[in-house]
Amino acid sequence: MLTVKNIQKSYTDSNEDVSVLKGIDLELKGGGIHAVVGPSGCGKSTFLLICGGLLQPSKGTVLVNDENLFELKGDERSKLRASLVGYVFQKFHLIPYLNIEQNILASSLSMPNENLEDRCKELVEELGLGHRLKHIPSKLSSGEQQRVALARALLNKPKILIADEPTGNLDTENGNAVFDIFKKFSDEGGLVLMATHDRELAKRADSIQSFDKGLLVSSI
Ligand code: ADP
Ligand code: MG
């Protein structure tokens, strides 16, 4: 479902190239929950952004369902991303002046689908947010905001869910709730790719990909 080959990424900082990813190969077939772990700064977030088609690698290929993401034109890539990939950002990136319902629906405005409102209702009930629909994000706890970000990512029924430190701001109970959502998504055939420094969360994943200094150093 997701294959990356020889992914390299350098950022240019003060006219100096900083090499962040130095050739990552990874093949994730079928579904399952996969954790990317490693010290801060080793390139986890960069890797996830590239896998989600949100950041262009300096070199290498990303295949999503055999489509080469970065060989597609920008709008084709956006379409593929919108239909197959749900992305949960570390800091949620909810729109502060939109209510929860509007936040969940906002990312799909360009996807004409009359069932989205029903799907939104179904998701918020499932995630325990039904009573929060008309509130703005700042009125919600971090756990609730995280669930809104998840609902937004799941709205289009993606096949791949990418989450950056999904439990980073959460207590154990809310962290468990997030994992339960991942588990359900993967039991239904989806693929979860998450970066985490939460050892307990990583241990519950089907595989652990350890990064160090821009390289994949072990896969278990
Ligand atoms: P992690 O998520 O593992 O902490 P990141 O992928 O966020 O690692 O960052 C890896 C390295 O790349 C860090 O040294 C970080 O400072 C650098 N970096 C990340 N984003 C940028 C950027 N947009 N411009 C320059 N350097 C960046
Ligand atoms: Mg990070």
Side-chain angles (χ1 to χ4, degrees):
M1 207 181 296
L2 177 68
T3 304
V4 306
K5 291 182 190 159
N6 190 29
I7 288 295
Q8 300 181 31
K9 178 71 188 174
S10 300
Y11 290 114
T12 307
D13 230 4
S14 332
N15 293 326
E16 217 179 295
D17 270 358
V18 185
S19 169
V20 174
L21 297 176
K22 297 174 181 162
I24 306 275
D25 293 288
L26 183 63
E27 189 170 354
L28 301 174
K29 281 198 172 146
I33 303 176
H34 304 277
V36 174
V37 303
S40 179
C42 70
K44 301 182 294 297
S45 295
T46 302
F47 180 68
L48 260 48
L49 287 168
I50 291 172
C51 289
L54 294 167
L55 179 70
Q56 178 104 31
S58 310
K59 222 176 164 186
T61 51
V62 178
L63 302 173
V64 173
N65 276 359
D66 297 327
E67 289 263 24
N68 189 333
L69 267 192
F70 293 100
E71 271 184 3
L72 297 173
K73 286 199 214 104
D75 54 340
E76 289 171 352
R77 184 160 73 240
S78 301
K79 265 192 212 151
L80 183 80
R81 224 175 50 213
S83 63
L84 289 180
V85 183
Y87 205 100
V88 185
F89 296 93
Q90 183 169 6
K91 290 182 182 149
F92 317 143
H93 290 316
L94 300 176
I95 302 169
Y97 51 84
L98 296 182
N99 72 30
I100 297 316
E101 184 177 32
Q102 292 162 336
N103 258 287
I104 295 172
L105 289 168
S107 61
S108 306
L109 288 178
S110 60
M111 310 259 304
N113 181 344
E114 68 282 10
N115 296 325
L116 284 182
E117 286 189 16
D118 290 344
R119 167 89 178 135
C120 174
K121 288 207 182 86
E122 191 185 300
L123 272 171
V124 294
E125 288 308 327
E126 201 176 309
L127 302 184
L129 294 163
H131 59 304
R132 288 301 210 172
L133 277 187
K134 303 297 173 195
H135 296 185
I136 55 166
S138 62
K139 303 285 178 203
L140 273 62
S141 69
S142 338
E144 287 171 326
Q145 290 186 37
Q146 180 63 290
R147 293 204 292 279
V148 175
L150 269 167
R152 181 178 57 186
L154 291 170
L155 187 74
N156 287 330
K157 299 195 171 172
K159 297 277 180 279
I160 300 174
L161 182 62
I162 300 180
D164 199 350
E165 304 282 359
T167 61
N169 303 292
L170 305 182
D171 56 25
T172 312
E173 192 182 327
N174 279 302
N176 285 335
V178 166
F179 188 81
D180 290 344
I181 296 161
F182 287 174
K183 188 82 181 73
K184 180 162 183 274
F185 179 78
S186 108
D187 286 345
E188 289 167 359
L191 171 83
V192 178
L193 181 63
M194 61 176 179
T196 185
H197 56 244
D198 179 340
R199 281 166 187 271
E200 292 307 312
L201 184 70
K203 271 197 240 160
R204 295 164 75 184
D206 298 307
S207 88
I208 302 181
Q209 312 296 332
S210 302
F211 280 36
D212 194 20
K213 301 189 183 81
L215 290 168
L216 179 60
V217 290
S218 88
S219 235
I220 48 171

